[in-house]
């Protein structure tokens, strides 16, 4: 496997497009232009010949297992560019674009294809879902874990509210506007098609943020009701979900776009699913 990386000329083209918006343009026009530019950049990166191999990217993790592997992966993925919380809106329009309709995004729990332009706070809008609940470690929307695209996904405003800051577990009652998802007083179960996605996003966060960069040390545990503790569960269930729903083309493309265009780091558990069992 080879990992592509946006070439300097493509990156410059994207940057030039972002700053080409006239100063008098409205905020809405600017957001539209930025989203279009980012989408073009993402498309360009797919056609660029690979310059970084997977072996090269993960070289420091080769041959390691357990805690040593987790530490090595942290040192690799912590090297990233950061996105502002406002910038997340436009990034999600690219990372989560509907493969069948470039004007739409796919909502993570709902599975619904919805117009990119309907982001906001209204009942039928989509907003920015923190899969690792931002209260678990109390990082809010600070640039870092609060804006890390590897765990931020578009979701219906109402469904996002229903999920709240619950941990993940099996069972509960059906969630309106999210077919296949269930919830109870202290947990949320996503639809089958994204169970593995959810697991791998949380595991990435537990590797990326270890308390050494001014944020809480995020860790996995096998509990629910974690509240404001910097922990998420349940790891035993999440490992099952990881096995039953391996990385698919949508998730792999998303990982690639985040690497090529935005953060320039990767979710190692999408590239190497076998590392989950080695660490946890």
């Amino acid at each position: 496997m080879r990992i592509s990386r946006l070439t300097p000329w493509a990156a410059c083209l994207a940057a030039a497009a972002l700053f080409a918006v006239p100063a008098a343009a409205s905020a809405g026009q600017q957001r539209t232009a930025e989203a279009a530019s980012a989408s073009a950049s993402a498309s360009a990166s797919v056609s660029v010949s690979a310059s970084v191999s997977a072996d090269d990217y993960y070289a420091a993790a080769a041959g390691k297992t357990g805690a040593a592997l987790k530490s090595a992966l942290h040192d690799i993925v912590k090297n990233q560019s950061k996105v502002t919380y406002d910038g997340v809106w436009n990034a999600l329009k690219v990372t989560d674009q509907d493969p069948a309709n470039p004007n739409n995004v796919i909502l993570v729990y709902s599975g619904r294809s919805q117009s990119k332009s309907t982001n906001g706070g209204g009942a039928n809008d989509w907003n920015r879902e923190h899969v690792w609940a931002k209260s678990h470690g109390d990082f809010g929307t600070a640039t870092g874990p609060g804006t890390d695209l590897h765990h931020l996904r578009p979701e219906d405003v109402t469904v996002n509210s229903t999920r709240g800051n619950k941990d993940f577990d099996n069972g509960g009652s059906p969630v309106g506007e999210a077919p296949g998802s269930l919830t109870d007083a202290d947990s949320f179960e996503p639809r089958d098609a994204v169970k593995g996605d959810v697991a791998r996003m949380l595991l990435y966060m537990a590797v990326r943020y270890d308390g050494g960069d001014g944020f809480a040390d995020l860790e996995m545990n096998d509990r629910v009701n974690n509240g404001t503790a910097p922990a998420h569960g349940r790891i035993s269930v999440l490992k099952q979900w990881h096995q039953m729903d391996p990385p698919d083309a949508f998730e792999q493309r998303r990982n690639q776009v985040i690497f090529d265009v935005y953060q320039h780091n990767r979710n190692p558990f999408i590239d190497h699913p076998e590392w989950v069992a080695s660490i946890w």
Side-chain angles (χ1 to χ4, degrees):
M1 185 177 95
R2 296 188 66 80
I3 299 170
S4 70
R5 182 70 174 268
L6 197 62
T7 58
W9 64 264
C12 291
L13 181 62
L18 286 175
F19 288 103
V21 181
S26 69
Q29 289 173 320
Q30 185 170 348
R31 285 194 297 269
T32 300
E34 289 174 352
S37 173
S39 182
S41 299
S43 297
S45 71
V46 175
S47 63
V48 174
S49 60
S51 59
V52 180
S53 72
D55 288 344
D56 289 340
Y57 184 75
Y58 294 115
K64 293 182 171 63
T65 59
L69 174 59
K70 184 171 183 279
S71 178
L73 291 176
H74 166 76
D75 288 340
I76 293 167
V77 304
K78 73 178 181 180
N79 298 306
Q80 66 177 100
S81 300
K82 292 175 181 166
V83 181
T84 65
Y85 195 50
D86 190 56
V88 168
W89 284 121
N90 287 330
L92 293 181
K93 294 175 183 179
V94 180
T95 60
D96 291 74
Q97 179 174 295
D98 182 350
N101 185 346
N103 296 313
N104 288 10
V105 292
I106 300 293
L107 308 188
V108 59
Y109 305 135
S110 302
R112 186 169 75 237
S113 178
Q114 183 158 324
S115 172
K116 292 177 178 179
S117 66
T118 60
N119 62 294
N124 292 312
D125 290 340
W126 63 267
N127 61 4
R128 297 160 291 188
E129 156 69 344
H130 290 77
V131 176
W132 184 292
K134 57 191 176 184
S135 64
H136 290 222
D138 196 29
F139 53 74
T141 58
T143 301
T147 68
D148 196 312
L149 294 171
H150 282 297
H151 84 116
L152 284 160
R153 301 290 290 266
E155 185 47 70
D156 176 88
V157 168
T158 304
V159 176
N160 194 341
S161 179
T162 297
R163 187 267 157 140
N165 69 345
K166 296 172 183 174
D167 289 275
F168 291 94
D169 199 358
N170 291 316
S173 302
V175 177
E177 297 191 72
S181 296
L182 303 171
T183 192
D184 57 23
D186 55 20
S187 70
F188 191 90
E189 178 183 349
R191 60 193 176 100
D192 288 350
V194 295
K195 279 184 165 67
D197 305 51
V198 166
R200 287 179 285 275
M201 285 186 277
L202 295 177
L203 299 176
Y204 161 85
M205 292 291 282
V207 165
R208 168 61 186 88
Y209 299 97
D210 70 350
D213 51 359
F215 297 105
D217 182 4
L218 306 185
E219 296 293 346
M220 305 304 302
N221 64 21
D222 208 30
R223 298 192 296 272
V224 294
N225 285 321
N226 276 297
T228 60
H232 237 303
R234 304 173 50 111
I235 183 60
S236 60
V237 173
L238 291 163
K239 287 174 65 177
Q240 293 171 7
W241 292 355
H242 167 67
Q243 290 293 327
M244 68 175 283
D245 175 36
D248 60 15
F250 186 93
E251 191 179 1
Q252 290 165 342
R253 176 194 174 275
R254 190 176 196 279
N255 193 32
Q256 190 67 47
V257 170
I258 292 172
F259 178 75
D260 285 340
V261 182
Y262 297 104
Q263 295 184 180
H264 311 305
N265 72 339
R266 305 182 68 82
N267 183 330
F269 306 112
I270 296 173
D271 296 325
H272 285 274
E274 72 278 8
W275 282 345
V276 172
S278 179
I279 297 174
W280 287 279

